[in-house]
Amino acid sequence: MTPTLQSYLAGQWYGSEAAQVLPSAINGRPVATTHAETPDFADAVAWARREGGPALLALDFQQRAARLKALAAYLLERKSQLYAISAHTGATRNDSWIDIEGGIGTLFAYASMAGNELPSGNLVHEGPAIPLGKQGQFVGTHILVPRGGVAVHINAFNFPIWGLLEKFAPTFLAGMPAIGKPATATSYLTEAVVRLMIDSGLLPVGSLQLVIGSVGDLLDRLDGRDVVTFTGSADTAAKLRVNANLVRQAVPFNAEADSLNCAILAPDVSPDDAEFDLFVAEVAREMTAKAGQKCTAIRRAIVPRRHVDAVVSRLKERLARTVVGDPAVEGVTMGALASRAQRADVAERVARLCRHAEVVHGAPDGFAPVGEGTAEGAFFAPMLLLSRDPHADDAVHEVEAFGPVSTLLPYDDLDDALALAARGRGSLVGTLVTRDPATAARAVPVAAALHGRLLVLDRDAAPESTGHGSPLPQLKHGGPGRAGGGEELGGLRAVRHYLQRTALQGSPTMVAAVVGEHIRGAAVRESDVHPFRRHFEDLHIGDSLLTHRRTVTEADIVAFGGLSGDYFYMHFDEIAAKSSPFGKRIAHGYFVLSAAAGLFVSPAPGPVLANYGLDTLRFVKPVGIGDTIQARLTAKRKTDRNKRDAHGVGQGVVAWDVEVRNQDGDLVASYDILTLVAKRG
């Protein structure tokens, strides 16, 4: 019996009456059906706000990062269940790896980034604070806080798992409940991963809901607290973007749309170069991976006119080795499109492209995919086209066949190649294959204006390159113009997309209280107990120590020069130093840093375990022989990393603000020290 997929809304699995049949892309047999019942989206949105938001914010950034890591591990242990279902989408094992383990890997990546960079609590301080008054008692800064709404994620059919997880991860970290709506054709795979996520017990109540089928009036239920993200066709993005309610309520709308991405073979590369083969391999891989169903796939391969025949020859040779069919059959290297409807759409678009371009490899019909029952599947042979006059061929810059199809575009010089690339009117990604750094330096600033990501590929980068078509959690994914104008991933930038940025003004003491971070000029707490003698739990933001003084001598400078090997003339040449802007010999900046540490460090064993870095170091004013320095050490920021050492002792990170001043009270050095501090338990 064919199972009926269910939506997960308001804490319940919903739907039992069969509706649309979802066939296997391999053999056309039914995999599942959607449900016929119409959900109450008003209830779903209300439940997300009433239950999901508070449950997520009962945890802080660090705790949500730990949950995300645990969820990734849970899914990884059960990935075999997902691979079995993924085969119905037409994906090969490698294709499924990108979707399944790529999605899970994104959860791990975000958990790690958040664990290292986000604070404890639910407020992010985007500092530093800026003085707004002459006396230092009026400052301004920016904060990021949870929006209090719900994120609606509408995804495409090509990555049923990665598409959900790459949006869910930053949303979850931002404390925003999510409603995921996968494309119907492959929603059976998304439903499977959501069932695992719910069953894990790791998600706070209301943090994730799932819609199978139409979004109905969901977008009409949103308001300005909410966010909508979309991945799919540029045409659908344009329609959703102008939803009357989204426009009226000023709901943020982020689109990542299919685009006519390009790869440029630079004019400095000849057929004898390794880069020539790298270009051919990149184009062929992007045509056949996921059967070309990638929003980042290379649709336009831009090559020097004099090398067109050589590129055609090598691409044909490589594509001829592609075996299309049921991925369960040994030797198959490319699977099917996601559905027969998708196959028909690709065929229609190829026909439009062929009005001006010629086919140099492959055909839409007349090939036999490998495997039993594949005649009823959604297979499409790889097709390489050639547009000999790409400036006169508008279709190649406007029509995208979302399948294993790419078109070669000859060019005459680099400016001509960049002009052809720009005809795509905005792309997610472009690749430049070159041997020449000067070519890269010239081309990239021009191409960057119309591309969300650029890969410069040469023989040095190739062994480690993740490829043209691979969005990475650490780097922005999205592009201008036709590509949707949106932005996803990009490290913690993605988390910030789901937070509200607010400018904050006030006295340093008030601003420090709000941001949970010491601000210069705010009130401090001094006591007889050295701050380094306090355990993590006992330290308070603003705990401070004003040190004793030290007068810098010539012997200090000589000794530090001998120890460090730094004999720079400003420290040792009296005559040259007098003619410098400082007018005298000065101490090494790093001596001042070291001397300050000698003033504020408590040398006996204690809770401070290690100093692992400096941030924001500035040498503000020179320190000369005879100057007297004094330091102030203040607990600036605390982050509970929820980590323990080998002995089971808990640890947190404390950032200390350090000010070093001279005998006149002038600031001479300023920096933050980062330390690991033990907990009592």
Side-chain angles (χ1 to χ4, degrees):
M1 181 177 177
T2 304
T4 298
L5 302 180
Q6 294 182 301
S7 297
Y8 184 73
L9 300 167
Q12 301 291 328
W13 288 101
Y14 175 84
S16 59
E17 184 179 343
Q20 181 182 347
V21 174
L22 305 181
S24 168
I26 301 300
N27 52 35
R29 296 170 189 159
V31 177
T33 71
T34 61
H35 63 78
E37 297 90 341
T38 301
D40 183 344
F41 288 118
D43 186 44
V45 171
W47 192 71
R49 292 186 178 132
R50 184 180 65 250
E51 302 290 340
L56 281 165
L57 296 183
L59 308 173
D60 65 16
F61 288 117
Q62 291 294 313
Q63 291 167 325
R64 291 194 294 274
R67 292 282 186 102
L68 203 62
K69 182 178 180 180
L71 178 65
Y74 181 90
L75 293 177
L76 194 61
E77 291 174 356
R78 293 157 178 81
K79 64 182 181 180
S80 60
Q81 302 175 38
L82 301 173
Y83 273 102
I85 300 169
S86 179
H88 293 299
T89 70
T92 64
R93 178 78 184 189
N94 286 340
D95 295 338
S96 294
W97 182 88
I98 297 169
D99 188 31
I100 297 169
E101 296 188 52
I104 295 171
T106 299
L107 298 186
F108 276 122
Y110 269 98
S112 176
M113 287 185 281
N116 290 326
E117 299 182 45
L118 289 177
S120 304
N122 281 310
L123 180 149
V124 176
H125 178 210
E126 280 195 326
I130 304 165
L132 299 175
K134 293 183 179 180
Q135 304 303 315
Q137 286 304 304
F138 187 54
V139 300
T141 193
H142 292 90
I143 59 174
L144 295 166
V145 296
R147 295 178 62 91
V150 58
V152 175
H153 299 313
I154 304 172
N155 288 311
F157 63 82
N158 51 341
F159 290 104
I161 291 179
W162 181 85
L164 174 81
L165 297 184
E166 64 95 6
K167 292 181 174 67
F168 171 76
T171 310
F172 183 81
L173 289 172
M176 196 172 202
I179 300 175
K181 192 283 177 202
T184 300
T186 54
S187 56
Y188 49 84
L189 183 52
T190 311
E191 192 223 38
V193 76
V194 171
R195 284 190 181 275
L196 288 175
M197 294 168 74
I198 300 301
D199 290 346
S200 73
L202 293 166
L203 300 183
V205 172
S207 55
L208 177 62
Q209 298 181 77
L210 173 70
V211 177
I212 297 295
S214 170
V215 293
D217 63 355
L218 174 58
L219 300 187
D220 298 328
R221 304 292 183 177
L222 305 180
D223 62 33
R225 297 169 291 177
D226 306 317
V227 173
V228 176
T229 70
F230 171 80
T231 298
S233 74
D235 291 342
T236 304
K239 293 175 183 176
L240 293 176
R241 193 190 299 274
V242 295
N243 172 277
N245 182 60
L246 299 186
V247 174
R248 183 171 56 253
Q249 300 280 359
V251 177
F253 182 89
N254 188 86
E256 183 258 290
D258 306 332
S259 58
L260 291 161
N261 311 295
C262 69
I264 300 173
L265 181 65
D268 61 273
V269 179
S270 75
D272 296 328
D273 292 325
E275 284 76 11
F276 195 92
D277 288 328
L278 290 174
F279 176 85
V280 169
E282 204 71 29
V283 173
R285 180 168 56 247
E286 290 302 310
M287 287 179 66
T288 56
K290 289 289 290 186
Q293 298 171 111
K294 295 169 64 179
C295 56
T296 52
I298 296 170
R299 305 301 179 194
R300 299 174 302 150
I302 303 174
V303 301
R305 192 175 298 277
R306 67 185 183 278
H307 295 323
V308 167
D309 290 342
V311 172
V312 168
S313 176
R314 293 199 196 175
L315 267 173
K316 288 177 65 174
E317 179 184 350
R318 194 175 187 98
L319 292 171
R321 299 197 296 266
T322 303
V323 180
V324 182
D326 184 347
V329 176
E330 185 176 353
V332 166
T333 57
M334 192 184 97
L337 300 181
S339 66
R340 291 172 67 91
Q342 180 64 18
R343 185 181 68 177
D345 182 75
V346 172
E348 186 273 331
R349 290 169 183 264
V350 167
R352 290 166 63 186
L353 290 169
C354 286
R355 292 171 189 167
H356 300 278
E358 62 188 88
V359 177
V360 293
H361 178 83
D365 300 303
F367 84 105
V370 175
E372 183 180 351
T374 53
E376 300 302 318
F379 296 92
F380 197 95
M383 291 191 67
L384 182 65
L385 311 181
L386 171 62
S387 176
R388 294 191 180 275
D389 187 3
H391 286 290
D393 183 358
D394 292 337
V396 76
H397 307 296
E398 295 175 358
V399 177
E400 180 182 22
F402 199 73
V405 182
S406 188
T407 305
L408 294 172
L409 310 182
Y411 72 85
D412 297 316
D413 56 32
L414 185 60
D415 289 337
D416 191 28
L418 293 171
L420 289 172
R423 291 282 299 275
R425 295 179 291 112
S427 298
L428 294 171
V429 57
T431 287
L432 173 68
V433 180
T434 181
R435 296 181 56 191
D436 181 18
T439 296
R442 178 182 166 195
V444 166
V446 176
L450 286 169
H451 290 81
R453 175 168 59 89
L454 289 170
L455 167 65
V456 180
L457 187 61
D458 65 0
R459 67 191 70 189
D460 295 332
E464 294 184 321
S465 172
T466 52
H468 167 99
S470 300
L472 297 173
Q474 300 88 344
L475 296 177
K476 167 196 165 180
H477 180 49
R482 178 185 172 123
E487 184 173 316
E488 297 176 345
L489 300 177
L492 295 184
R493 291 178 181 85
V495 179
R496 294 185 176 98
H497 293 330
Y498 300 104
L499 297 169
Q500 172 62 39
R501 179 177 287 106
T502 299
L504 176 65
Q505 299 167 282
S507 71
T509 298
M510 291 299 176
V511 171
V514 172
V515 302
E517 183 174 305
H518 175 67
I519 304 293
R520 293 270 177 91
V524 298
R525 301 181 187 86
E526 296 182 283
S527 73
D528 295 335
V529 179
H530 193 292
F532 277 17
R533 313 308 305 168
R534 297 183 187 274
H535 287 86
F536 184 81
E537 301 96 323
D538 302 326
L539 265 172
H540 299 283
I541 302 303
D543 284 352
S544 187
L545 170 73
L546 183 64
T547 70
H548 58 283
R549 299 178 180 86
R550 173 172 178 168
T551 299
V552 177
T553 67
E554 181 178 22
D556 291 329
I557 295 175
V558 172
F560 192 83
L563 182 65
S564 66
D566 179 354
Y567 293 102
F568 188 58
Y569 79 93
M570 284 301 305
H571 311 312
F572 289 95
D573 189 330
E574 187 78 35
I575 296 173
K578 280 185 177 180
S579 63
S580 75
F582 301 127
K584 60 180 180 180
R585 288 168 62 193
I586 61 173
H588 305 72
Y590 293 107
F591 167 77
V592 175
L593 200 69
S594 300
L599 292 173
F600 64 67
V601 165
S602 177
V608 174
L609 305 174
N611 167 2
Y612 70 89
L614 297 176
D615 283 345
T616 66
L617 172 62
R618 293 292 184 274
F619 297 118
V620 181
K621 192 170 184 177
V623 174
I625 297 170
D627 284 347
T628 298
I629 61 173
Q630 185 177 33
R632 177 171 287 283
L633 174 80
T634 306
K636 178 178 182 177
R637 182 174 59 251
K638 292 174 57 179
T639 304
D640 189 345
R641 298 297 193 209
N642 299 303
K643 293 181 178 179
R644 295 181 180 274
D645 64 16
H647 304 289
V649 177
Q651 302 173 354
V653 174
V654 178
W656 306 85
D657 174 70
V658 180
E659 301 173 76
V660 185
R661 297 184 181 272
N662 64 16
Q663 66 276 4
D664 299 319
D666 297 330
L667 188 68
V668 299
S670 172
Y671 51 97
D672 292 349
I673 291 179
L674 306 176
T675 62
L676 285 177
V677 179
K679 295 182 179 179
R680 286 194 308 272

